Amino acid sequence: MKLDRGYLIVFEGIDGTGKSTHCLLLGDYLESRGIPVRKLFEPTKGKWGMKIRKLLKEGRGDISPEEELSWFINDRKEDVENNIKPGLANKEVVILDRYYFSTAAYQGALGLDPEWICRENEAFAPKPDIVFLFTTAPEKCLERIQKSRTEQSSFERLDYLEKVQRIFVSFDDPVIRRIDTTPPSDVVHEQLRNEVTAMINRQDK
């Protein structure tokens, strides 16, 4: 199926909500319909993204929230120029696991202004066509993380995740669709599939 334009679909939420799983499932579904898909994730595996990944694994140390934010922004600028914009220009569906809403929520939980972070990012980053904001109780997410991983990120503490979740919930943007991921995976997948199919059918006639 050839699209008239590219689409940017973003998955957001705290770790353990099932974002990454559903990114892959949705991408596979769209590809099965002959729709060109580009699957991306942030932090990337570029220079700045790897610095962030090291910080996630080893802890923040003496890195300030402001410096950490600058790494996320630099990483995203590279992702926008190298991957997101080319995908959209090529009329692909770009599926992105985390974007600037995550940066606003996680850095906001460290005391920075989430609205300011969003504005700074929207000055250079394309606005998503749709954002699936996954919501699950932080306690449940942490339980899933502990069962599925041998190592935990320095970001994965209950008190911190609760702050992040509150900021995510506070976002009020017409592109956001709040998705409860407590039902079975196939039920959630069908909801996502229907939302995306309806969006493409509305705009791509």
Side-chain angles (χ1 to χ4, degrees), residues 10 51 59 69 88 163 165 178 190:
V10 172
K51 284 169 70 76
L69 174 61
L88 296 175
K163 291 179 183 177
Q165 178 94 306
R178 287 175 168 78
E190 184 177 6

Side-chain angles (χ1 to χ4, degrees), residues 14-15 136-143 158 161-162 165:
I14 62 176
D15 285 337
T136 305
E139 296 87 350
K140 181 68 174 177
C141 292
L142 204 55
E143 183 182 313
L158 182 58
L161 290 179
E162 287 172 339
Q165 178 94 306

Side-chain angles (χ1 to χ4, degrees), residues 32-86:
S32 75
R33 293 189 59 202
I35 294 172
V37 174
R38 185 175 299 218
K39 301 170 190 172
L40 303 173
F41 52 82
E42 292 187 358
T44 71
K45 290 191 176 178
K47 177 181 74 172
W48 295 102
M50 294 309 292
K51 284 169 70 76
I52 296 165
R53 289 178 181 279
K54 184 178 179 182
L55 178 148
L56 295 178
K57 184 177 180 180
E58 298 179 2
R60 290 188 169 97
D62 59 357
I63 302 299
S64 70
E66 291 80 7
E67 185 175 5
E68 186 179 310
L69 174 61
S70 74
W71 293 2
F72 277 99
I73 289 179
N74 287 337
D75 185 48
R76 185 160 299 118
K77 284 180 176 177
E78 289 186 353
D79 200 24
V80 166
E81 292 306 314
N82 297 335
N83 301 304
I84 297 172
K85 282 185 175 179

Side-chain angles (χ1 to χ4, degrees), residues 12 76 99-104 117-118 121-122 125-128:
E12 295 283 21
R76 185 160 299 118
Y99 202 31
Y100 60 81
F101 294 93
S102 274
T103 307
I117 293 172
C118 285
N121 279 270
E122 288 170 354
K127 183 88 172 190

Side-chain angles (χ1 to χ4, degrees), residues 22-36:
H22 283 287
C23 282
L24 294 174
L25 288 173
L26 180 62
D28 291 347
Y29 166 71
L30 294 174
E31 287 175 336
S32 75
R33 293 189 59 202
I35 294 172

